[in-house]
Amino acid sequence: MGKGPGLYSDIGKKARDLLYKDYQGDHKVTITTYTSTGVVQNMMVVGSLRKGCRYLRQLVALRKDAKAITSSGTKKGELFLADVSTQLKNKNITTDIKVDTNSNLLTTITIDEPAPGLKTILSFKVPDQRSGKVELQYLHDYAGISTSMGLTATPIVNFSGVAGNSDLSLGADLSFDTATGNFTKYNAGLNFTKTDLIASLTLNDKGDTLAASYYHSVSPLTNTAVGAELTHCFSSNENTLTIGTQHALDPLTTVKARVNNYGKASALIQHEWRPKSLFTISGEVDTRAIEKSARIGLAVALKP
């Protein structure tokens, strides 16, 4: 997590990334193009996403400091979802704009370091008038705080805080609905970090789910690591154990595998065939119903 305890979302992140990140059950293609003189040459890509992309074209055309446009499409069974996003940077202000096939326009404005250790994030979605939200993040050597509030008359207020250092930290994550006067979320977490291992314990779902995770770096030279996560649901008295590993075959190729106590086994191979351009193929099989077809996922990310 780097210097200080980080944010609450960093608790258990290493293990979650090892066990779940990059596993893909659908087919996804992402294409990124760059320009330093404007983005007019990319409008053919933007224009492919129905009428909602008119908003993005108008906004991007006004800015000549746009550096990238990313187009992505995901096929989920018979459903195809797509979006186009661009990122604009001006000194310490970053603006991310995304439009999808449902004509939703999501804008996120991030201001880095308006004061030491502080980050301000403003986000809203058009045409959803209740989607506006402002978030403040503050990182200190011994604390990490994040608070957000919806921009409505009766907003939902979120607060998460972590206290400690880079070795040991304790945090809480709360959400309060001002319309009903009730807490909609209250979680707690503990994180222990050493040079080659990270252990985490979290209490989620209003105290109904207890999760313990473990991440161990076996060999940094080959990016070899093992991890595990055990969750217990008090209301259903069910336990879920997931274990996984990863290993770099070479500097450009990584393999990962995981299995849980329900017999679901997954594996993936990811190859970086050019800088930041990734090809990932993953599969999942139910070992308790081996007669069923394996679930195959494919993800391609192309960057010039």
Side-chain angles (χ1 to χ4, degrees), residues 19-30 73-76 258 266-270 280-284 295-300:
L19 296 173
Y20 305 111
K21 186 178 179 181
D22 295 325
Y23 286 96
Q24 181 74 30
D26 306 303
H27 297 167
K28 181 176 182 179
V29 177
T30 304
T74 303
K75 188 175 185 296
K76 296 178 178 289
R258 72 180 183 198
S266 305
L268 71 79
I269 182 169
Q270 184 176 81
T280 306
I281 184 169
S282 59
E284 181 182 90
R295 185 180 180 185
I296 303 298
L298 176 67
V300 180

Side-chain angles (χ1 to χ4, degrees), residues 129-146:
Q129 299 179 356
R130 297 178 54 86
S131 63
K133 184 175 72 172
V134 61
E135 179 179 358
L136 296 176
Q137 295 179 359
Y138 177 71
L139 292 176
H140 186 269
D141 290 348
Y142 302 105
I145 297 173
S146 175

Side-chain angles (χ1 to χ4, degrees), residues 187-216:
N187 304 323
L190 175 69
N191 203 70
F192 175 74
T193 305
K194 277 300 181 183
T195 304
D196 58 348
L197 66 88
I198 301 174
S200 305
L201 184 67
T202 57
L203 188 63
N204 303 314
D205 302 326
K206 297 182 180 181
D208 187 51
T209 304
L210 181 67
S213 64
Y214 174 78
Y215 172 91
H216 182 87

Side-chain angles (χ1 to χ4, degrees), residues 150-178:
L151 301 179
T152 63
T154 54
I156 293 179
V157 180
N158 298 277
F159 173 84
S160 64
V162 178
N165 53 37
S166 57
D167 295 329
L168 181 65
S169 59
L170 177 67
D173 183 24
L174 309 171
S175 289
F176 181 76
D177 189 344
T178 59

Side-chain angles (χ1 to χ4, degrees), residues 45-173:
V45 177
V46 180
S48 64
L49 292 184
R50 297 168 60 180
K51 64 179 182 180
C53 293
R54 292 201 305 268
Y55 301 118
L56 185 59
R57 289 202 301 269
Q58 293 167 359
L59 288 171
V60 173
L62 296 176
R63 297 294 301 269
K64 295 302 181 180
D65 55 350
K67 299 300 182 182
I69 283 185
T70 300
S71 307
S72 66
T74 303
K75 188 175 185 296
K76 296 178 178 289
E78 299 299 322
L79 181 65
F80 182 79
L81 303 174
D83 62 70
V84 173
S85 61
T86 186
Q87 186 177 86
L88 314 171
K89 290 187 177 182
N90 183 14
K91 296 181 180 179
N92 66 328
I93 301 176
T94 303
T95 303
D96 293 282
I97 305 170
K98 178 187 289 188
V99 63
D100 60 26
T101 47
N102 294 321
S103 300
N104 294 313
L105 177 67
L106 175 63
T107 302
T108 303
I109 302 172
T110 304
I111 305 175
D112 287 311
E113 297 280 341
L118 186 66
K119 178 185 288 187
T120 303
I121 303 172
L122 174 65
S123 62
F124 56 90
K125 181 187 291 186
V126 178
D128 186 356
Q129 299 179 356
R130 297 178 54 86
S131 63
K133 184 175 72 172
V134 61
E135 179 179 358
L136 296 176
Q137 295 179 359
Y138 177 71
L139 292 176
H140 186 269
D141 290 348
Y142 302 105
I145 297 173
S146 175
T147 181
S148 65
M149 183 177 66
L151 301 179
T152 63
T154 54
I156 293 179
V157 180
N158 298 277
F159 173 84
S160 64
V162 178
N165 53 37
S166 57
D167 295 329
L168 181 65
S169 59
L170 177 67
D173 183 24

